């Protein structure tokens, strides 16, 4: 299994893309599956700007989720693709002030903690193993093997 981190956040992009490869034994051969994880950061402005002479309560609450897409090439040549739900948001945080001003800090925080997102993607790939094997077997029945 191999993974590669492309740090789009550090280069000013809006997401980090993870790549994970896994192999599944199928009918005496090996089928390679590629899992692509896209990290989505959601920001929500909360609080209020204070009146002159009063403190404000502005804060930016953020969460980072990873969505996973699997692609595997069946030995007969067709692609078996699937989006895998990863429900929980493994990263959360809060910064004081406006969300617009916290963008760079949030990107840096997500990049520093990307190992947690990567672990969620690898877990999703492991849970998908049986589903992929079943899809490969079903595809064999569809093409007459």
């Amino acid at each position: 299994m191999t993974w590669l981190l492309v740090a789009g956040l550090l280069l000013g992009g809006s997401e980090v893309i993870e790549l994970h490869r896994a192999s599944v034994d199928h009918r005496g051969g090996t089928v390679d599956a590629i899992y692509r994880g896209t990290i989505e950061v959601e920001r929500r402005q909360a609080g209020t700007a204070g009146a002159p002479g009063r403190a404000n309560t502005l804060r930016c609450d953020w969460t980072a989720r990873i969505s996973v897409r699997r692609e595997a090439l069946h030995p007969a040549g067709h692609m078996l693709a699937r989006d895998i739900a990863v429900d929980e948001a493994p990263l959360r945080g809060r910064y004081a002030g406006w969300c617009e001003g916290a963008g760079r800090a949030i990107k840096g925080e997500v990049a520093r903690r990307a190992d947690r997102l990567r672990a969620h993607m690898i877990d999703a790939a492991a849970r998908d193993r049986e589903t992929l094997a079943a899809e490969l077997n079903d595809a064999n029945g569809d093409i007459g093997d």
Side-chain angles (χ1 to χ4, degrees):
M1 290 190 251
T2 307
W3 55 265
L4 170 70
L5 173 65
V6 179
L9 281 174
L10 296 177
L11 299 174
S14 61
E15 60 190 29
V16 170
I17 298 175
E18 293 280 337
L19 182 66
H20 175 72
R21 297 178 190 270
S23 297
V24 175
D25 294 328
H26 177 69
R27 295 194 174 197
T30 301
V31 175
D32 292 325
I34 297 173
Y35 295 86
R36 286 184 173 83
T38 303
I39 298 172
E40 300 162 355
V41 177
E42 180 181 313
R43 298 182 290 182
R44 187 176 68 85
Q45 189 67 55
T48 60
R54 294 183 177 223
N56 72 48
T57 60
L58 287 174
R59 70 179 187 277
C60 180
D61 296 325
W62 62 270
T63 58
R65 289 182 168 77
I66 188 163
S67 58
V68 180
R69 177 153 182 85
R70 180 254 293 149
E71 295 177 350
L73 187 60
H74 188 277
H78 56 278
M79 184 67 65
L80 298 172
R82 177 174 179 253
D83 292 319
I84 303 167
V86 179
D87 294 330
E88 66 247 29
L91 298 182
R92 298 178 188 280
R94 174 179 290 170
Y95 282 94
W98 294 100
C99 283
E100 286 181 14
R104 186 171 294 193
I106 292 170
K107 288 178 182 181
E109 182 72 18
V110 170
R112 280 189 297 279
R113 296 167 54 192
D115 57 329
R116 291 181 63 189
L117 294 164
R118 187 178 313 113
H120 278 273
M121 185 184 64
I122 291 171
D123 182 54
R127 286 180 289 145
D128 181 59
R129 193 172 199 77
E130 288 182 25
T131 303
L132 176 56
E135 287 177 10
L136 288 165
N137 288 332
D138 288 348
N140 281 332
D142 290 342
I143 59 172
D145 284 348

